[in-house]
Amino acid sequence: MDLDDSLGIRKLLDTARQLQQDLARSQDELRGTSAQGTAGGGAVKVTIDGRGALQNLAISPVVADPGNAQGLADLIVSAVRAAQETMATRHEERLVPLLEALRADLRPFTD
């Protein structure tokens, strides 16, 4: 398709506008979600929001031994990473299809 074609340009602009709206809507929806991560067989549980900020931390008394501060710290870091991986997967599942649709819509302009 030739970019000089006014219908082609209009379709390209409509596609870009729709993608912008879809991305904004998806980002808003993802910001409103949360993800949980656990470590130590559930002894440490965290919840993060859609932006990745820590919202909640629960530690079982079993692992709250003052003599094992480093072990507890490692469990907390592990639980946070697990929650972040879950959130990253959700972002990917939501945004990749939008980008693939854009690629398909732009294909006529790249031929």
Side-chain angles (χ1 to χ4, degrees), residues 8 14 16 18 24 38 47 52-53 67 75 77 84 89 93 97 105 109-111:
D14 289 343
Q18 184 63 46
T38 62
T47 303
L75 289 173
V77 169
Q84 290 170 332
T89 298
E93 288 170 349
D105 286 344
F109 297 102
T110 60
D111 291 340

Side-chain angles (χ1 to χ4, degrees), residues 5-20:
D5 177 9
S6 63
L7 289 177
I9 292 172
R10 187 171 305 133
K11 181 174 177 9
L12 177 62
L13 292 174
D14 289 343
T15 299
R17 193 173 303 114
Q18 184 63 46
L19 175 66
Q20 183 179 21

Side-chain angles (χ1 to χ4, degrees), residues 13 50 66 76 79 84-85 90 106:
L13 292 174
I76 293 169
Q84 290 170 332
E85 288 173 11
R90 286 186 190 162
L106 291 177

Side-chain angles (χ1 to χ4, degrees), residues 13-80:
L13 292 174
D14 289 343
T15 299
R17 193 173 303 114
Q18 184 63 46
L19 175 66
Q20 183 179 21
Q21 291 170 354
D22 290 346
L23 283 172
R25 184 174 36 258
S26 293
Q27 288 171 335
D28 286 343
E29 290 171 2
L30 287 167
R31 275 193 285 274
T33 65
S34 63
Q36 294 185 335
T38 62
V44 175
K45 298 177 184 178
V46 300
T47 303
I48 62 169
D49 66 16
R51 293 181 180 160
L54 185 63
Q55 297 297 306
N56 190 36
L57 170 63
I59 301 171
S60 169
V62 174
V63 295
D65 177 11
N68 189 19
Q70 185 58 50
L72 178 57
D74 291 343
L75 289 173
I76 293 169
V77 169
S78 181
V80 170

